[in-house]
Amino acid sequence: MKNFKAFNISFLVLLALSLSSCDNFLDLKPISEETTDNSYSNLDQIEAALTGAYESFQSSDFYVWDNILYNDVRSDNHYAGGDNPEVFAMDALAINATNSKVFNDWASLYNAILKANTVLHYAPEVSDPKLTAERQEQILGEAFFLRSLHYFNLVKLFGGVPLVLEVTRSADPSKVNLPRSTEEEVYDQIIADLEMAITLLPDVYGSDASINKARATRGASYALAAKAEAQRPSRNYQKVLEYIEGVEQSEANYQLIDYPHLFDGNHYNNAESILEVQFLGGDEGNWEPQMNLPPSISGDTWRKFVTPSKDLVAAYEDEGDHIRLNAGVLFENVAWLDEFYGIEEPSVEVPQPNRVAFAYKRKNAAGWASSDRQYIMRYGDILLLKAEALNATGNTAAAATIVNTVRARVELPELGSEMTSGMEAMAAAILKERRLELAHEGQRWDDLVRFGKAVEVMNNLVEIDLRTGQAVNYDMTVQKILLPIPQQELDRNPALEQNPL
């Protein structure tokens, strides 16, 4: 547990600041107070450090909003909307190494990793008699899970990244400026951390869902391990199935619920939720809905971000999938101009109302302080991943049964024989079903990459820019699958190498 490496001294400063100022944002027990120095010698202090580690779900733009930009806006699901040039660049697949969002998310994910590393370093040394052996193991398991989740997001975004596995205050460049590990090495570390978490964590912490869905659990660890094994370059779908079996055997008893209930704001911490960000509103609120929701809900009139694409809307309509469309997309007439939904006609002096699609899976703006939540993982995703793994291992009939179960809850008919006749056709049906099920949940780009379809789908996507009347040329290449390493990091750390551009 202590043969770890460090990354960058600047992150240690961020870590100290975040741990000394983090709010007790989760209603979790036995967290009772925060630490204000670098001493972690008793139960309250190590619990406060763990709270600081969870706090990254709320303080990091990545977990609030940017994960949607990288997965849904970069893909065929959503347009950039709004007025931010760096978000437009994501939509256009023209992201460069100086994009500030890319750097900020790199930094915040490493900051979150160092918070988890702090817990892993100090928790074994706490000898407070109030800290039971059981709780000590749970704390370590939670930190292993959190570290693995942050690395999972980093490796999907950037490929191989430096592996930072211990806390240090050394300013020695040889210890601070670490080179990139390979993708496979990062995935190996993710799986190793999750295997540790599986042995240390419970299925549930008791009967309170607001705790069970807020904390890392054994079921969440199995679910993340399944996703990691599926996403890694040397994927092993048999291992995916083994990990999903662990999810299904969990005492948490994950199950599908009515689809609209997932996003109506009245069914938080539900049976389908595996892990979700516990936004409470007010000072502990979610600002993402205000960015996306239309004027009738948000109460403002500026152009909104992350608008569902015409291609996504057509996918729902072509399938007759009105339940999922209505749960995730809201149409409203607005006065502003939009390069995909409407432009001002030269003969019209005043812009006419323009019917625009808005992202609607978070439905309450609440003046930048919404209690609407993002799922980090939910069972519907894992079920469709199981169908993917079954199909990839030759059990297409069982895969079809699972997909039909997911379709039945939104009142869609079973897949036709043309989609279940072989592995390739079934894979295409699963990819489509995942799009309809998981749009605006930060999954689409990862799915396209995993299925080997990112270049094909983006280059075949027809989106007409109404300003020119021409189709957008996304010029998608294999090199664009990964983000560029932030230029600030390349300048600071000469051991890093840039991704092919």
Side-chain angles (χ1 to χ4, degrees):
M1 195 176 302
K2 292 185 179 180
N3 57 340
F4 304 147
K5 294 182 178 179
F7 178 59
N8 196 302
I9 195 71
S10 64
F11 290 129
L12 295 171
V13 176
L14 291 173
L15 174 65
L17 291 173
S18 63
L19 289 183
S20 64
S21 62
C22 66
D23 292 329
N24 189 4
F25 77 104
L26 294 176
D27 185 17
L28 302 177
K29 298 177 181 179
I31 297 170
S32 61
E33 68 179 58
E34 302 159 4
T35 183
T36 57
D37 57 28
N38 291 320
S39 174
Y40 302 91
S41 59
N42 62 45
L43 172 63
D44 292 336
Q45 290 171 336
I46 201 64
E47 290 282 13
L50 181 62
T51 299
Y54 277 108
E55 189 266 345
S56 292
F57 288 149
Q58 290 187 321
S59 65
S60 169
D61 286 1
F62 177 83
Y63 288 105
V64 177
W65 195 51
D66 289 0
N67 61 331
I68 305 299
L69 302 182
Y70 296 126
N71 261 284
D72 288 285
V73 170
R74 266 204 297 174
S75 73
D76 51 350
N77 273 2
H78 290 69
Y79 306 128
D83 59 358
N84 186 310
E86 293 188 325
V87 181
F88 286 143
M90 294 181 183
D91 193 357
L93 303 182
I95 306 169
N96 61 42
T98 60
N99 188 299
S100 67
K101 282 192 169 295
V102 174
F103 171 69
N104 289 339
D105 290 317
W106 170 285
S108 68
L109 286 169
Y110 270 109
N111 177 240
I113 286 166
L114 284 181
K115 292 179 186 179
N117 284 344
T118 297
V119 176
L120 290 170
H121 179 87
Y122 287 104
E125 300 176 359
V126 176
S127 58
D128 188 336
K130 293 188 296 183
L131 178 60
T132 65
E134 178 185 34
R135 181 60 193 139
Q136 191 173 44
E137 287 187 351
Q138 291 173 356
I139 289 170
L140 289 169
E142 291 176 78
F144 276 120
F145 173 88
L146 292 172
R147 184 170 72 180
S148 68
L149 176 63
H150 304 318
Y151 270 121
F152 182 53
N153 287 312
L154 278 168
V155 75
K156 289 186 301 173
L157 292 173
F158 298 102
V161 294
L163 279 172
V164 187
L165 302 175
E166 75 172 14
V167 173
T168 181
R169 287 171 173 80
S170 171
D172 182 349
S174 66
K175 295 182 178 180
V176 172
N177 294 332
L178 300 180
R180 298 172 67 177
S181 297
T182 66
E183 280 189 74
E184 288 294 350
E185 287 169 340
V186 176
Y187 275 107
D188 285 344
Q189 183 62 51
I190 290 167
I191 296 299
D193 280 357
L194 289 171
E195 290 284 0
M196 287 294 297
I198 287 167
T199 66
L200 296 169
L201 289 173
D203 286 324
V204 295
Y205 293 89
S207 59
D208 189 342
S210 68
I211 294 177
N212 293 328
K213 307 299 182 175
R215 287 194 184 278
T217 59
R218 185 181 294 120
S221 302
Y222 276 123
L224 184 56
K227 290 175 72 68
E229 281 289 357
Q231 200 72 34
R232 69 186 303 168
S234 60
R235 64 183 54 88
N236 182 336
Y237 277 115
Q238 190 56 51
K239 287 293 293 183
V240 173
L241 291 171
E242 291 173 11
Y243 284 129
I244 291 176
E245 183 178 2
V247 178
E248 295 174 330
Q249 292 178 350
S250 170
E251 293 178 18
N253 190 27
Y254 304 113
Q255 54 190 291
L256 299 180
I257 66 170
D258 289 345
Y259 193 85
H261 287 177
L262 288 167
F263 308 105
D264 65 3
N266 297 315
H267 295 85
Y268 298 135
N269 301 316
N270 56 67
E272 186 165 341
S273 173
I274 297 175
L275 186 65
E276 66 188 69
V277 182
Q278 301 291 306
F279 290 109
L280 304 177
D283 292 341
E284 298 170 356
N286 181 3
W287 49 265
E288 185 225 14
Q290 191 80 27
M291 301 286 285
N292 302 339
L293 289 168
S296 66
I297 298 175
S298 64
D300 47 34
T301 58
W302 43 270
R303 180 181 170 184
K304 293 313 181 86
F305 291 84
V306 190
T307 51
S309 70
K310 288 184 174 180
D311 191 80
L312 176 64
V313 171
Y316 283 117
E317 292 177 340
D318 291 348
E319 195 69 18
D321 192 351
H322 303 297
I323 290 178
R324 289 187 290 203
L325 173 63
N326 293 334
V329 180
L330 180 66
F331 294 92
E332 186 167 305
N333 288 338
V334 298
W336 65 73
L337 307 178
D338 183 289
E339 63 270 16
F340 293 111
Y341 279 102
I343 58 172
E344 183 178 2
E345 297 180 10
S347 61
V348 180
E349 293 183 3
V350 179
Q352 300 301 302
N354 180 27
R355 187 171 183 263
V356 173
F358 293 89
Y360 195 49
K361 280 192 170 176
R362 265 75 70 188
K363 296 177 169 54
N364 304 284
W368 306 98
S370 175
S371 61
D372 286 357
R373 302 177 182 180
Q374 279 196 38
Y375 296 102
I376 296 174
M377 288 183 291
R378 64 178 177 89
Y379 187 52
D381 172 15
I382 301 303
L383 264 184
L384 289 174
L385 183 62
K386 181 179 182 180
E388 177 186 331
L390 286 168
N391 183 57
T393 54
N395 199 340
T396 298
T401 298
I402 291 175
V403 175
N404 287 333
T405 298
V406 174
R407 291 171 63 83
R409 76 157 166 178
V410 291
E411 301 176 11
L412 291 179
E414 293 187 352
L415 296 173
S417 58
E418 71 280 4
M419 290 177 279
T420 62
S421 58
M423 290 174 60
E424 185 175 351
M426 189 69 233
I430 292 168
L431 180 60
K432 179 180 179 181
E433 200 66 34
R434 286 186 62 83
R435 185 186 191 191
L436 301 176
E437 175 75 15
L438 299 164
H440 200 73
E441 295 185 54
Q443 302 288 336
R444 179 61 171 171
W445 188 265
D446 294 343
D447 289 349
L448 292 175
V449 171
R450 191 171 67 256
F451 279 76
K453 296 293 185 180
V455 174
E456 175 187 338
V457 166
M458 296 310 297
N459 282 337
N460 290 336
L461 178 62
V462 178
E463 292 285 6
I464 304 300
D465 186 330
L466 298 177
R467 297 168 298 183
T468 64
Q470 302 297 312
V472 177
N473 180 12
Y474 289 99
D475 191 25
M476 178 61 187
T477 64
V478 172
Q479 288 76 19
K480 291 183 179 181
I481 288 175
L482 297 176
L483 297 177
I485 302 297
Q487 188 61 47
Q488 295 95 319
E489 287 301 308
L490 293 172
D491 294 341
R492 179 158 49 203
N493 179 3
L496 289 178
E497 295 181 2
Q498 182 59 278
N499 282 324
L501 300 177

